[in-house]
Amino acid sequence: MRNTFMLIALSMVLLSTACNQKTKATEQKDEVVKLSDDERMAWWRDARFGMFIHWGPYAVPGGERDGQICKGGAEWIMDKLDYTIEDYEKDVVGNFNPVNFDADAWVTMAKNAGMKYIVLTSKHHDGFAMWDSKVSDYNIVKRTEFGRDVVKELAEACKKQGIVFCLYHSIVDWHHPEAQAPLYPNYNAGQADQTVVNPEFPKYYENYLKPQVVELLTNYGDLGVVWFDGDWIADYTTEMGKDFYKTIREIQPNTIVNNRVDKGRMGMEGMDMEGDFAGDFGTPEQEIPATGIDSDWEACMTMNGSWGYKPSDTNWKSSEELIQNLVDIVSKGGNFLLNIGPDGLGVFPQESVERLADMGKWTKVNGEAIYGCQASPVDRPEWGRYTSKGNVVYAHVFDWPADGKLMIDANLKVQKASLVTDGQELKLDGATIVLPETASDEFASVIKLELAQ
Ligand code: FHN
């Protein structure tokens, strides 16, 4: 127990160090506390649950143009429904006026859901900057009637509410002239032919992509994570990736960078292939690895099928599925980054709000079995999953046994079993736990197993 308290206390210190590093760096340049890799990753490993926010001008058409619905993610509408840059600027960016955007309300919703960090798209593949960039006026402050710096407002709201603020940033850019492959007509998004390389791209990297990220690292306080995407295009090289990683850590030594900063990622599975690649964690996308992985990783996932707002996509995952995904991921040693696609006015879809509320109710009661937890020490049981923390293993029961008997792994030497919901102690009979008649939670009932020392 004492160890658990010490661990929590150390995490709090590390989190506050992570939050304060920039302030210290600004005020006393030489005094940034450079954390070891384990210390730097500690808050993120403890957090386990974060909110992804895909938001930009593409939220206005919501995946639909002249009655045509774009396939896949609505944030790809520029590419999928063949907007010219001029048309996109006029019809999409020109109509982006999210007057109902309320950073505090967004952060409160994340916090109440039990999420510990937020990753906002500072720029997606459409190239539009969601902050007041000095590098280019293709941004929300200069190009919209709205005229507010969304990155700044969210960064401040996160700081106020104790949520770690992070940014997603796209390497792919369908708007910048030097980021287009001249031989590839449909922007550089698919780049099916990886031999077609754009000779102008290094200029875009040096004079645009990197300076914009430097701007974000310099003017918006501490970033918990810099989350890159678009690593797959042939124009972007491993040399650029390593240079980018180094540049970022020079400015904010304690920030965390995902593996899409380099070129090691193996597709949607998200982990790196063998080799020397920059990046601090793997990024499975829309999938959860079959078994635990003994390195840092975070699965990102949508609630329906689209990252950006897409009202025509009604294929929503249930709250039960999302809660069980969170448990499944933590039982395998990963983090869950769950996406929201706010609409063109800056409002979260009602379906997302409802699911966040359900997740909040669950994490409020069962959070001890998620935050600061590690992968299961034993094989996955048929009835659910295990997570672990120190001398405790948590049994997350998805399928409540009809006969009231829960068979646990014989390798677990359990001394005491109790329901997390109300602390009620449960009778142990060898490797069987005698359960009450009804499940203690409709989505996943958690039983705390205290092991013999
Ligand atoms: O193309 C993007 C997609 O729009 C979305 O941003 C996801 C989130 O991980 N990543 C990309 C594809 O890997």
Side-chain angles (χ1 to χ4, degrees):
M1 184 58 108
R2 195 159 162 260
N3 284 347
T4 312
F5 280 133
M6 284 181 66
L7 210 75
I8 293 169
L10 179 68
S11 296
M12 302 290 282
V13 170
L14 292 174
L15 181 58
S16 95
T17 311
C19 290
N20 290 330
Q21 68 154 283
K22 182 61 175 304
T23 322
K24 282 190 193 162
T26 320
E27 287 163 5
Q28 301 160 300
K29 282 217 157 8
D30 296 330
E31 284 198 24
V32 180
V33 184
K34 281 197 185 172
L35 303 173
S36 70
D37 282 345
D38 278 340
E39 289 169 340
R40 185 167 62 88
M41 297 297 294
W43 74 262
W44 185 89
R45 287 175 185 156
D46 276 358
R48 291 297 178 216
F49 189 25
M51 177 182 280
F52 217 172
I53 302 180
H54 274 71
W55 197 48
Y58 44 80
V60 175
E64 188 174 343
R65 185 183 192 190
D66 300 331
Q68 237 192 310
I69 307 277
C70 91
K71 283 204 185 112
E75 71 286 357
W76 274 68
I77 194 166
M78 183 175 174
D79 173 80
K80 298 272 182 194
L81 295 185
D82 300 319
Y83 278 90
T84 60
I85 288 175
E86 295 68 36
D87 283 350
Y88 194 81
E89 287 190 6
K90 186 163 67 65
D91 300 342
V92 180
V93 173
N95 286 312
F96 188 39
N97 188 17
V99 288
N100 294 334
F101 168 65
D102 178 345
D104 283 312
W106 283 17
V107 176
T108 303
M109 272 189 281
K111 192 171 175 162
N112 288 346
M115 291 153 157
K116 305 293 184 191
Y117 58 106
I118 288 179
V119 183
L120 170 76
T121 46
S122 40
K123 182 190 87 161
H124 204 267
H125 308 335
D126 66 355
F128 189 74
M130 296 292 279
W131 76 99
D132 188 10
S133 177
K134 305 289 178 278
V135 177
S136 155
D137 76 349
Y138 194 52
N139 72 61
I140 189 160
V141 174
K142 311 266 173 32
R143 290 287 188 99
T144 68
E145 195 187 326
F146 184 61
R148 280 160 49 190
D149 186 330
V150 158
V151 171
K152 182 161 180 272
E153 291 186 27
L154 259 176
E156 284 170 1
C158 280
K159 195 166 180 190
K160 209 162 56 187
Q161 299 194 44
I163 294 290
V164 182
F165 181 62
C166 314
L167 290 174
Y168 162 111
H169 204 81
S170 174
I171 292 162
V172 168
D173 192 310
W174 299 329
H175 184 267
H176 195 282
E178 285 167 358
Q180 313 303 317
L183 301 176
Y184 194 82
N186 195 13
Y187 307 111
N188 56 7
Q191 246 183 10
D193 182 354
Q194 291 272 318
T195 61
V196 179
V197 174
N198 167 19
E200 305 288 307
F201 192 87
K203 282 198 255 166
Y204 156 77
Y205 170 69
E206 279 300 336
N207 305 326
Y208 193 85
L209 179 61
K210 197 155 69 160
Q212 281 208 323
V213 172
V214 168
E215 196 171 53
L216 289 165
L217 286 157
T218 314
N219 301 334
Y220 294 91
D222 299 321
L223 299 182
V225 177
V226 186
W227 210 108
F228 284 104
D229 203 5
D231 50 336
W232 64 83
I233 56 171
D235 304 334
Y236 187 68
T237 63
T238 187
E239 289 75 24
M240 290 174 190
K242 289 174 175 58
D243 171 71
F244 222 161
Y245 184 87
K246 190 165 153 269
T247 306
I248 291 164
R249 296 282 311 278
E250 274 165 9
I251 301 170
Q252 291 203 20
N254 299 328
T255 194
I256 296 171
V257 186
N258 73 341
N259 67 341
R260 300 187 187 191
V261 70
D262 203 337
K263 304 282 288 185
R265 173 168 70 112
M266 295 183 291
M268 295 305 194
E269 181 202 313
M271 303 309 290
D272 277 354
M273 60 182 103
E274 282 291 311
D276 172 30
F277 297 107
D280 298 312
F281 64 91
T283 50
E285 180 170 325
Q286 301 285 38
E287 57 183 79
I288 302 175
T291 56
I293 300 177
D294 195 18
S295 66
D296 294 305
W297 60 277
E298 176 195 68
C300 58
M301 203 171 273
T302 48
M303 283 195 184
N304 56 359
S306 175
W307 300 94
Y309 176 65
K310 192 177 186 186
S312 60
D313 181 345
T314 55
N315 192 20
W316 295 94
K317 297 176 184 74
S318 66
S319 296
E320 179 178 53
E321 187 176 350
L322 294 171
I323 288 167
Q324 294 188 356
N325 281 348
L326 171 65
V327 173
D328 187 23
I329 288 165
V330 178
S331 81
K332 294 166 181 168
N335 280 17
F336 190 25
L337 186 63
L338 181 58
N339 185 70
I340 304 288
D343 71 14
L345 291 173
V347 177
F348 283 11
Q350 189 51 31
E351 292 85 349
S352 302
V353 173
E354 286 160 14
R355 283 156 182 77
L356 289 176
D358 283 342
M359 297 189 87
K361 260 188 248 155
W362 188 87
T363 50
K364 199 166 177 208
V365 175
N366 301 294
E368 66 170 270
I370 295 293
Y371 309 119
C373 280
Q374 271 87 49
S376 168
V378 290
D379 289 345
R380 178 167 108 186
E382 274 182 8
W383 41 256
R385 301 288 184 275
Y386 294 111
T387 59
S388 75
K389 190 190 281 175
N391 204 38
V392 171
V393 167
Y394 294 96
H396 299 251
V397 187
F398 298 168
D399 301 312
W400 197 255
D403 65 359
K405 289 185 181 126
L406 188 77
M407 286 293 293
I408 52 167
D409 194 292
N411 292 309
L412 298 172
K413 303 295 170 218
V414 181
Q415 238 177 15
K416 182 180 170 191
S418 55
L419 287 177
V420 165
T421 331
D422 58 5
Q424 183 193 336
E425 194 165 340
L426 303 173
K427 196 167 162 258
L428 275 163
D429 183 6
T432 304
I433 297 175
V434 183
L435 298 177
E437 214 171 286
T438 50
S440 55
D441 189 284
E442 65 173 310
F443 303 126
S445 309
V446 187
I447 299 165
K448 181 175 180 175
L449 308 174
E450 292 168 62
L451 306 184
Q453 294 282 4

